[in-house]
Each structure stands twice: as structure tokens, then as C-alpha cells.
Amino acid sequence: MKRRHRKSDCPVHFALEVFGDAWTLLIIRDLMFKGRNSYTDFLRAEEGIATNVLADRLVRLEEDGVLEKEGPPGGASTSRYRLTSKGIDLLPIMLEIIGWSAKYDPKTAADRGFVRRLRREPTELAAEIRSQLIDRRSEAEASPRRAKGARASSRRKTKEREVSS
Amino acid sequence: MKRRHRKSDCPVHFALEVFGDAWTLLIIRDLMFKGRNSYTDFLRAEEGIATNVLADRLVRLEEDGVLEKEGPPGGASTSRYRLTSKGIDLLPIMLEIIGWSAKYDPKTAADRGFVRRLRREPTELAAEIRSQLIDRRSEAEASPRRAKGARASSRRKTKEREVSS
DNA sequence: CACGTGTACTTGCTAAAAGCAAGTGCTGCA
DNA sequence: TGCAGCACTTGCTTTTAGCAAGTACACGTG
């Protein structure tokens, strides 16, 4: 898909070129809070992204340096995506978004305890999630999953670790 | 234009239903930081929004309670838009976005002093801008611009007050 | 070693939204 | 009375999204 050209150097516009659409931030949400990190995981999200749109967003996000693909070079089996530090730096934006929606959406599914903590000690909460994300990242780096069953336990942990939001 | 139905109660998705597109946040930026508040002002923004898209976004944002239209009831002369408190509450999101883009866009047009202050004392900066926005809002409320030239000076002030970003 | 399963896509088609130029209907003002 | 400005709307083309189906590759099982 063609790359849209930037129309200004305004920081808001720059950010919108990266995630100014209906789907990109949902993928980032899945990576950040839901422990989803594969193509089929993203498809499972309840909003129901189309396969072609998902494929497109994933290459864009990789081009933009927001996430990295850890693919088995042969192209086989499950490849995983993970946030880069640039992607992890979107966390404060996501938290502010969650806070805003929790305030204004009467039917919000945001976890109440999470939101309360977000209001009371946002810095601590952000730092905590951030370090979890960094852990997950370097953990994945440590086991480059060349072998099939190797470190399967750590992979399970990674998959199931989910932040309540 | 038809209203898209919500596909989940996830707070991220809720927010994206309000501003998950390429243009909505630019309008909010104009209202928040650039002192633009009329239809033609928004058209003047360098990104160049199309007239039909702008009209559509303005009614959506009004429906969503993010902004209010202060229109001369007759439909004549210039009508102005202003952020509601729900709209003003988007400020922290905008500031985080600006911070992120300033960090990752080498050609960013974000004001360096503004960004430095954003990093050093984000809470104070947010509070300051927020109170400016609230002032502007109640000021506009005080002079419901029924008469032509009445309170023209305050209108000029409102128009020219622009936050550097 | 054929066969089914799972993963990660691509392709083809339709529907919706964006982009663009032009036009409309007000209203103040000269 | 006529012109200019504002806030749109309309009509048309292009782009993007949505959806169902199909493809390619590897692994595991019988």
C-alpha cells in the first residue's frame, strides 16, 4: 500500500500519520495490555479487524519502528510481534486515553481498580507496566526461539501475562 | 453520514470511535493550541481538510459532546466552536502525543521551549493551558455575541491568544 | 509419505469514506 | 442592488475498508 505523504511537521499530525486510523491503536493495545502478539491473536480481538487491514497495519507499524517482527526465517510456524522502545513510549498516551474513556463512557469495560490506580498514582502505574513490557521484550530477545519446544514455559508465561485494564 | 456502531466496550475502542481518524484530532489541536475556532479557520490549517469532511467531523464532535457550536441563531455571519469540558479533558492525551512526536520526529515543528517544559513540569503546563481554555470558554459564554460590534475587543483577544506548541 | 491442521498471508469483489471542484443560500455592507 | 464572505451541500472520482475465499508453507500424525 502506498505511503501517504506528510502534509505538515506539526507533532499532532506526525502522530496521526502513525496511528491516525481506527485499527492501529487497537493492535498496540493488544500488545501492551492483552498479551496478544501474533497475527491470529490480533484477529481474535473482539472488534474483528479484517485480515488484509491487519497485514497492512503490521507492515506499516514495523516500517514506522513501533513494533518488530520476530519471524522464523523460513516463514513457517507462528511469528511474534513485540513493541520497540518507540512503541513502548506510546504507553502514556494509551493510559491517558483509557482514563478519558473511563470517565466519559458509562458502559466502559475498563477495570475499576485499574482506573482508580491510574487516577491516584499514574506515574507508578505507568512505570510498572513499562517495566513489564521491557522485561517481556528482553526475555523474548534472550530466547530467539530457534528450537521448537525450547523455553516453552517462558513462552506460556509471556502469553498469559495480561495487565488488567 | 451514518453512525458506526461500537464493537466493544474497550476504553481504547471507545476513544477511537470519537477521534480514531486522520482529521478529528487536528480540529481539536486547532481549538486547543492554535486559537482557531471557526469553519474557515479550520480550513486554513496547513493539512488542508476537505470541506465536506470538516462539516462531517464538526457535527460528529458536537454529537459526541466534545465541542459546542455557538451559532448566531439566524444562521448568519461567523459561528464559533469551542471545546466542552469533555473536549478540554483531551488535553493530557494531546500533550502526550506532542511529547511522543517531538521525541521521534527529527523534523518536528514542535516548539522546543514548550517541549522542554512539557518534559520538566508536565502537570504545571497542563494546568496552565487547561485554565486558559476554561477562561476562554466562560469568557465566550459571558458575551453571547448577539450584537454585532459588542465586545469586539474580547473577541480579538480570544482569537489571537495562541499557545506555542 | 500422503493428509489434515495451523499460521500468515494474498486476491477479488463490494461498500464506504475521503478528496476535489463547483455550486447554493444566507447576510451584512457599500 | 450588487458584491463579498461564511458555512455549507452536491456530484463525481479515487482511495480505503470489509468480507469471503484461496494460497503457500511447515509441522505432526497414521
Side-chain angles (χ1 to χ4, degrees):
Chain A
M1 225 161 236
K2 228 174 301 160
R3 208 80 237 267
R4 60 257 133 126
H5 59 293
R6 69 193 298 179
K7 294 168 184 156
S8 86
D9 292 332
C10 167
V12 177
H13 183 244
F14 174 84
L16 289 174
E17 292 246 298
V18 177
F19 55 78
D21 75 287
W23 294 108
T24 302
L25 282 185
L26 295 180
I27 296 171
I28 291 165
R29 168 204 66 183
D30 285 354
L31 280 160
M32 266 185 187
F33 303 110
K34 308 273 190 191
R36 302 197 183 107
N37 57 8
S38 73
Y39 186 89
T40 36
D41 279 350
F42 299 135
L43 282 182
R44 271 189 266 278
E46 54 185 333
E47 288 88 4
I49 189 171
T51 56
N52 53 349
V53 176
L54 174 57
D56 176 70
R57 286 316 111 89
L58 288 173
V59 318
R60 280 194 183 183
L61 283 169
E62 204 181 355
E63 283 172 7
D64 288 339
V66 170
L67 49 80
E68 286 169 331
K69 184 183 186 171
E70 184 202 351
S77 91
T78 313
S79 49
R80 308 259 165 208
Y81 294 88
R82 57 170 186 263
L83 292 168
T84 60
S85 58
K86 185 175 178 181
I88 293 174
D89 277 346
L90 292 169
L91 176 62
I93 298 175
M94 294 295 274
L95 291 177
E96 291 295 348
I97 287 175
I98 291 168
W100 184 83
S101 293
K103 180 168 181 185
Y104 289 106
D105 180 10
K107 301 196 250 306
T108 191
D111 181 85
R112 300 193 61 188
F114 186 88
V115 173
R116 199 175 315 117
R117 191 157 173 229
L118 180 56
R119 273 201 304 273
R120 302 213 177 147
E121 33 173 39
T123 323
E124 292 76 5
L125 179 57
E128 199 175 287
I129 298 174
R130 161 170 264 272
S131 76
Q132 279 176 31
L133 292 169
I134 290 169
D135 281 359
R136 212 183 294 184
R137 205 162 102 75
S138 40
E139 188 179 292
E141 219 135 59
S143 67
R145 59 209 252 50
R146 19 165 167 44
K148 318 92 210 302
R151 303 198 41 70
S153 71
S154 117
R155 201 143 76 236
R156 226 193 66 246
K157 247 170 58 196
T158 298
K159 187 160 189 194
E160 285 175 5
R161 189 183 305 151
E162 175 174 336
V163 156
S164 72
S165 71
Chain B
M1 226 161 238
K2 228 173 301 161
R3 209 80 237 265
R4 61 254 131 129
H5 58 295
R6 69 192 300 178
K7 294 168 185 157
S8 85
D9 292 333
C10 167
V12 177
H13 183 243
F14 174 84
L16 289 174
E17 292 246 297
V18 177
F19 55 78
D21 75 286
W23 293 108
T24 301
L25 282 184
L26 294 180
I27 296 171
I28 292 165
R29 169 204 65 183
D30 285 355
L31 280 159
M32 266 186 187
F33 303 111
K34 308 273 190 192
R36 301 196 184 108
N37 56 8
S38 73
Y39 186 89
T40 35
D41 279 350
F42 298 137
L43 282 181
R44 271 189 266 278
E46 53 185 336
E47 288 89 3
I49 188 171
T51 56
N52 53 348
V53 176
L54 175 56
D56 176 70
R57 286 317 109 91
L58 288 173
V59 318
R60 281 195 183 182
L61 283 169
E62 205 182 354
E63 284 172 7
D64 288 338
V66 170
L67 48 79
E68 288 169 332
K69 184 182 187 173
E70 184 201 352
S77 91
T78 312
S79 47
R80 308 259 163 207
Y81 294 87
R82 57 169 186 263
L83 292 167
T84 61
S85 58
K86 184 174 178 181
I88 293 175
D89 278 344
L90 292 169
L91 176 61
I93 298 175
M94 293 296 275
L95 291 177
E96 292 294 347
I97 287 175
I98 292 168
W100 185 83
S101 294
K103 181 168 180 184
Y104 289 106
D105 181 10
K107 303 197 250 307
T108 190
D111 181 85
R112 299 193 62 188
F114 185 88
V115 173
R116 200 175 315 118
R117 194 159 171 227
L118 180 57
R119 272 201 304 273
R120 302 215 177 145
E121 34 173 38
T123 324
E124 293 76 5
L125 179 56
E128 199 175 287
I129 298 174
R130 162 170 264 274
S131 76
Q132 278 175 31
L133 292 169
I134 291 169
D135 280 0
R136 213 185 292 183
R137 205 162 102 76
S138 39
E139 189 179 290
E141 218 136 59
S143 67
R145 59 205 255 56
R146 23 171 164 38
K148 318 95 211 297
R151 303 199 41 71
S153 70
S154 116
R155 201 144 75 235
R156 225 193 65 247
K157 247 169 60 196
T158 299
K159 186 160 189 192
E160 287 175 3
R161 189 183 306 151
E162 175 174 338
V163 158
S164 70
S165 73

